[in-house]
Amino acid sequence: MTDRDDINEILEIDFEVGHVSIIRPEPTTIHNPPRTHDWTVYLRSADVHGDLNCLIQRCIFHLHPEFPDSKREFKSTPFYIKETGYAGFHLPIEIFFKTRKDPKKFRIEYDLDLHTNVDGHPYRQKESYVRKYRCTFYNPDPELRQKILAAGGKISDTGPISNNDNGESDAEEEQTSTPPPEPVSRPSPPQKRPFSPAPTVNSINNKKIKIEQSSV
């Protein structure tokens, strides 16, 4: 835990992770079992103008082991994958931040759900899903501070923060998942953007880090 007496400044950045699931007219014939859905998963800044290339060194999607090359790594935006499948699965995402210190990663635990049509309900060929994850940095150094702001981060106004005379730079990562009221899905936000708007890239070293996940 970071001692609040040592905090001069708090910066926060929100990432959006989501996917689009489309039921295929016909299942694939080259896979066993046949794949019934086309899907795209993506990571982007929640700020439409945020440039993730300023902050992220690399982003890794860990697909289910059934997929060839299940560890998909990207070093610049857009961060997204298009694939086919027949069932949902747990899909961890690792983000490495740009920093001159030893790299630290921010890990997102994401569930990729593929929708199905229930008897008696209208046919839904396409469904969209999105969740928001927050990463919080305590006392970032000036260079990292600029990268966070350029990527769409904001200075937190969580109240008065006491001065720190030791010149240390601490960062804390906090994950906040904002799922839809029902399962994990809700329509994508109204703004029209590509799957991963702004560019992205790198890793961050923090002396004190904690990761919490809470659902709002």
Side-chain angles (χ1 to χ4, degrees):
M1 291 284 290
T2 301
D3 188 342
R4 192 165 182 80
D5 292 337
D6 294 334
I7 301 173
N8 283 325
E9 185 177 49
I10 300 175
L11 269 70
E12 298 174 337
I13 183 169
D14 290 336
F15 299 105
E16 287 183 349
V17 180
H19 70 279
V20 177
S21 166
I22 301 175
I23 297 178
R24 297 174 57 87
E26 296 291 339
T28 62
T29 57
I30 60 174
H31 302 99
N32 185 20
R35 297 183 180 180
T36 54
H37 293 67
D38 294 323
W39 56 261
T40 301
V41 63
Y42 60 88
L43 177 141
R44 66 191 181 193
S45 173
D47 185 330
V48 178
H49 304 291
D51 182 358
L52 292 184
N53 283 321
C54 296
L55 178 65
I56 298 179
Q57 182 186 53
R58 57 196 172 107
C59 176
I60 302 176
F61 293 79
H62 295 274
L63 304 184
H64 191 278
E66 285 188 11
F67 289 92
D69 185 24
S70 60
K71 182 179 177 181
R72 309 283 178 91
E73 180 174 330
F74 300 87
K75 294 185 177 180
S76 63
T77 56
F79 298 135
Y80 77 97
I81 296 172
K82 287 188 175 182
E83 269 289 358
T84 57
Y86 64 90
F89 59 92
H90 180 61
L91 197 165
I93 301 171
E94 292 178 306
I95 303 172
F96 294 83
F97 300 104
K98 289 181 175 177
T99 179
R100 289 182 297 180
K101 299 182 178 181
D102 293 336
K104 293 291 181 181
K105 63 185 178 183
F106 181 61
R107 184 180 175 94
I108 291 174
E109 305 295 339
Y110 187 73
D111 289 322
L112 189 145
D113 295 330
L114 300 183
H115 72 289
T116 57
N117 287 307
V118 182
D119 291 342
H121 289 74
Y123 181 74
R124 299 174 302 144
Q125 184 185 18
K126 179 178 179 179
E127 285 289 319
S128 298
Y129 307 75
V130 66
R131 285 183 172 182
K132 185 178 291 185
Y133 298 83
R134 174 165 296 169
C135 183
T136 303
F137 301 85
Y138 291 95
N139 298 336
D141 60 55
E143 183 179 352
L144 179 59
R145 183 181 187 276
Q146 290 302 314
K147 293 174 181 177
I148 296 168
L149 294 175
K154 301 290 187 295
I155 299 172
S156 175
D157 55 354
T158 54
I161 300 174
S162 60
N163 291 329
N164 175 19
D165 298 327
N166 58 18
E168 293 184 354
S169 176
D170 299 330
E172 177 173 325
E173 294 176 277
E174 175 181 301
Q175 230 171 238
T176 303
S177 172
T178 311
E182 307 252 333
V184 188
S185 71
R186 69 170 168 139
S188 292
Q191 69 250 42
K192 296 181 180 179
R193 324 167 36 184
F195 287 123
S196 186
T200 309
V201 172
N202 200 230
S203 237
I204 155 181
N205 173 2
N206 319 314
K207 288 192 176 179
K208 300 174 184 177
I209 297 178
K210 75 171 183 178
I211 297 180
E212 295 179 355
Q213 184 164 5
S214 61
S215 179
V216 179

